[in-house]
């Protein structure tokens, strides 16, 4: 595979560590409420939860927060891996698989049927439609906006050529 262009594609370590801290604090608070709290919860004077039901709600929130911490730990692992790059070669584009796996997805340039750019609040996501489905490339995993813009331009040129 002779790489024409290569772009680093990793979660930002600082943001992931902040997410771990935040969700650990949430999980700790919810766990404390499950263990020691016996208060009733009222939501907008419409829904009243007794002590037993509120413990179940707090337990579910704690489990959800611990799940997000586990996912963020996987993101830390992915951000520390040295070989997470998007590579555009002369005949295919290679995009790292999800943060849960080490592999990558190789998409032949001739198999790309469409490119669509969707904007979120803080980022943009490129949807690459190909014969096997759709693969996403998220702007926030690139080093900065200019790397994403360059990747997008180079990919469009490679698909046309």
């Amino acid at each position: 595979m002779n790489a024409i262009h290569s772009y680093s594609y990793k979660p930002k370590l600082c943001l992931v560590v902040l997410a771990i801290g935040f969700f650990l604090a949430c999980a700790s608070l919810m766990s404390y409420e499950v263990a020691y709290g016996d208060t009733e919860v009222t939501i907008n004077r419409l829904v009243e939860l007794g002590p037993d039901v509120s413990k179940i709600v707090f337990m579910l929130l704690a489990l959800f927060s611990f799940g997000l911490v586990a996912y963020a730990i996987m993101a830390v692992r992915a951000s520390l891996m040295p070989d997470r790059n998007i590579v555009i070669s002369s005949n295919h584009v290679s995009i790292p698989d999800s943060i849960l796996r080490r592999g990558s997805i190789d998409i032949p340039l001739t198999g790309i049927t469409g490119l669509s750019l969707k904007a979120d609040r803080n980022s943009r996501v490129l949807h690459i439609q190909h014969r096997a489905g759709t693969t996403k490339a998220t702007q926030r995993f690139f080093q900065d906006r200019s790397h994403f813009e360059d990747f997008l331009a180079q990919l469009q040129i490679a698909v046309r050529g």
Side-chain angles (χ1 to χ4, degrees):
M1 164 176 66
N2 40 350
I4 297 173
H5 300 280
S6 180
Y7 304 91
S8 179
Y9 190 72
K10 311 177 186 194
K12 307 285 188 288
L13 185 61
C14 179
L15 293 175
V16 173
V17 170
L18 288 173
I20 288 174
F22 175 76
F23 288 115
L24 268 177
C26 290
S28 300
L29 181 64
M30 296 302 136
S31 298
Y32 179 82
E33 283 296 321
V34 168
Y36 301 109
D38 59 347
T39 59
E40 293 183 9
V41 176
T42 304
I43 302 171
N44 287 338
R45 295 185 206 155
L46 297 173
V47 178
E48 292 185 15
L49 304 176
D52 293 335
V53 177
S54 65
K55 280 191 180 210
I56 292 171
V57 169
F58 288 136
M59 186 183 318
L60 291 174
L61 288 172
L63 289 174
F64 181 72
S65 294
F66 279 125
L68 290 174
V69 167
Y71 193 74
I73 289 172
M74 293 294 190
V76 166
R77 188 187 115 232
S79 70
L80 295 176
M81 291 170 60
D83 58 345
R84 292 194 50 97
N85 293 316
I86 288 183
V87 177
I88 301 174
S89 71
S90 59
N91 57 359
H92 73 277
V93 61
S94 179
I95 299 176
D97 209 352
S98 71
I99 64 172
L100 302 175
R101 296 187 218 136
R102 293 193 96 138
S104 64
I105 300 169
D106 293 333
I107 305 168
L109 294 175
T110 57
I112 295 176
T113 58
L115 301 172
S116 62
L117 193 61
K118 302 211 171 147
D120 290 343
R121 288 183 186 161
N122 301 337
S123 185
R124 293 180 298 168
V125 179
L126 175 65
H127 294 263
I128 304 170
Q129 290 91 20
H130 49 92
R131 293 183 187 131
T134 301
T135 303
K136 298 176 185 177
T138 307
Q139 176 184 328
R140 68 176 170 255
F141 283 179
F142 284 81
Q143 285 180 354
D144 56 26
R145 184 182 178 112
S146 65
H147 280 94
F148 180 75
E149 296 287 338
D150 186 55
F151 163 71
L152 183 58
Q154 295 301 327
L155 183 61
Q156 287 173 337
I157 290 169
V159 168
R160 285 187 206 131

